[in-house]
Amino acid sequence: MRHQKLLKQLYNEVKVAFLENKSAILISFFILFFSLILGYLLAPYLYSYLNPVVDDLTQKVQTGVIQLTFTDIFLNNVWIIIQMFIYGLFLCVSVLILAYNGFFVGYYVAISDNMYKVLAMLIPHGIFELTSCILACSSGLVLFNFLFRFLYKSYLKEDLTLKKSFNKNLYKLKHAIIIFLVSVVLMVIAGFVEAYLTIPIAYFLLGV
């Protein structure tokens, strides 16, 4: 009963965090969506900027510098979402990181010789990975919202003490952390799928 109560409480806190910050989640979703589309459509113009990155990643994978193990995939992806969360303190930086990743994925799909094959290799783990990135960016935006409310709206404008201002807006900080932790969980799932399931699923879809 105690575990059920804790799980229910956790579920309610996550639900509230998502509902009260749905605008940040929607903004992040549309940023990723449009950056994916633009990355695909503007591929010829992005070649000189992004192709060296693709070549470098390909070479590192082939030479074993980057190994597609669960640990390597997870650590690399988690570092990206940690940056999106922390850089939320500077507002647009989280958005820029998310947009860059969207541009890159869209570009990568556009330059591929076999789009169906690339999509089959991306979608199984990409569903979790991109959703994780959306939530990480959202958590960064909520973190900025907390900072804005704490330092400007309450402390400077309402002339509250730092302690009272912090306590008044603490719920926003909690929301940011909750959304980020959900992002981490999704990234764990994405790393597991990419390391162990993506290739078998792709081969099944491709009929290999």
Side-chain angles (χ1 to χ4, degrees):
M1 287 294 293
R2 185 179 178 184
H3 294 299
Q4 290 179 343
K5 188 176 180 180
L6 288 173
L7 287 173
K8 186 176 181 181
Q9 183 181 354
L10 179 61
Y11 170 78
N12 288 333
E13 289 182 359
V14 171
K15 183 179 179 181
V16 169
F18 273 65
L19 288 176
E20 292 194 10
N21 299 282
K22 59 184 179 182
S23 57
I25 296 172
L26 286 173
I27 289 170
S28 299
F29 169 78
F30 283 113
I31 288 169
L32 179 63
F33 177 77
F34 285 115
S35 64
L36 283 168
I37 299 299
L38 288 175
Y40 182 84
L41 296 177
L42 300 177
Y45 307 99
L46 297 172
Y47 184 85
S48 60
Y49 299 100
L50 296 182
N51 206 64
V53 179
V54 174
D55 291 340
D56 182 58
L57 286 173
T58 302
Q59 185 179 8
K60 285 181 178 178
V61 171
Q62 291 175 345
T63 56
V65 175
I66 296 178
Q67 298 182 4
L68 300 180
T69 64
F70 170 75
T71 302
D72 289 334
I73 293 169
F74 173 71
L75 291 176
N76 177 68
N77 290 343
V78 163
W79 173 238
I80 292 173
I81 62 174
I82 286 174
Q83 289 180 77
M84 279 194 269
F85 176 67
I86 294 175
Y87 290 154
L89 294 171
F90 307 101
L91 183 60
C92 63
V93 180
S94 293
V95 171
L96 291 174
I97 295 172
L98 181 64
Y100 175 79
N101 281 277
F103 277 125
F104 186 81
V105 174
Y107 170 81
Y108 186 74
V109 173
I111 65 169
S112 62
D113 296 327
N114 188 333
M115 184 183 296
Y116 183 64
K117 181 179 179 181
V118 170
L119 290 176
M121 289 289 188
L122 289 176
I123 290 176
H125 64 273
I127 293 172
F128 300 101
E129 188 173 314
L130 294 180
T131 303
S132 174
C133 288
I134 289 171
L135 294 181
C137 182
S138 304
S139 69
L141 294 177
V142 177
L143 183 62
F144 177 82
N145 186 254
F146 159 74
L147 193 67
F148 175 78
R149 287 167 176 264
F150 164 47
L151 292 178
Y152 175 74
K153 197 172 181 181
S154 297
Y155 178 63
L156 294 177
K157 204 170 181 182
E158 297 178 15
D159 201 27
L160 298 178
T161 63
L162 278 173
K163 184 177 180 180
K164 287 182 178 179
S165 176
F166 180 83
N167 290 333
K168 181 179 180 180
N169 299 287
L170 181 59
Y171 74 99
K172 275 293 177 185
L173 178 60
K174 289 181 178 178
H175 288 174
I177 293 171
I178 288 170
I179 295 172
F180 175 71
L181 290 177
V182 174
S183 171
V184 172
V185 171
L186 288 174
M187 196 57 82
V188 171
I189 297 172
F192 177 83
V193 173
E194 185 173 0
Y196 302 111
L197 299 178
T198 288
I199 292 178
I201 292 173
Y203 282 178
F204 173 77
L205 293 174
L206 296 169
V208 177

